[in-house]
Amino acid sequence: MSLEEVILELYRLAEVREWEGEKTDEALSAAIEGMEKIWELREADKRRTAMVNANKKQPRVWC
């Protein structure tokens, strides 16, 4: 399952609020928690990439 498919499934879960055949608020909270976790992982990846790029020496440009 790709990340896009997971996100679409979480949106579907949030819209229908149906979990294992029953309508519950747990389905909505699970969808929200899943989306928050994906967002946290993406933000951590962005920070990690930024730190790696910041530690690389920038080439000097002589005019």
Side-chain angles (χ1 to χ4, degrees), residues 4-24:
E4 288 80 19
E5 291 171 336
V6 171
I7 292 171
L8 286 174
E9 185 63 22
L10 289 172
Y11 275 115
R12 186 204 60 77
L13 186 63
E15 286 179 356
V16 298
R17 294 183 182 190
E18 193 168 304
W19 186 287
E20 297 177 353
E22 296 182 13
K23 288 194 177 252
T24 64

Side-chain angles (χ1 to χ4, degrees), residues 16-43:
V16 298
R17 294 183 182 190
E18 193 168 304
W19 186 287
E20 297 177 353
E22 296 182 13
K23 288 194 177 252
T24 64
D25 288 335
E26 286 180 46
L28 181 60
S29 64
I32 291 171
E33 287 176 16
M35 288 182 214
E36 286 176 348
K37 184 65 176 174
I38 290 170
W39 182 79
E40 287 174 5
L41 292 172
R42 283 187 172 178
E43 289 298 308

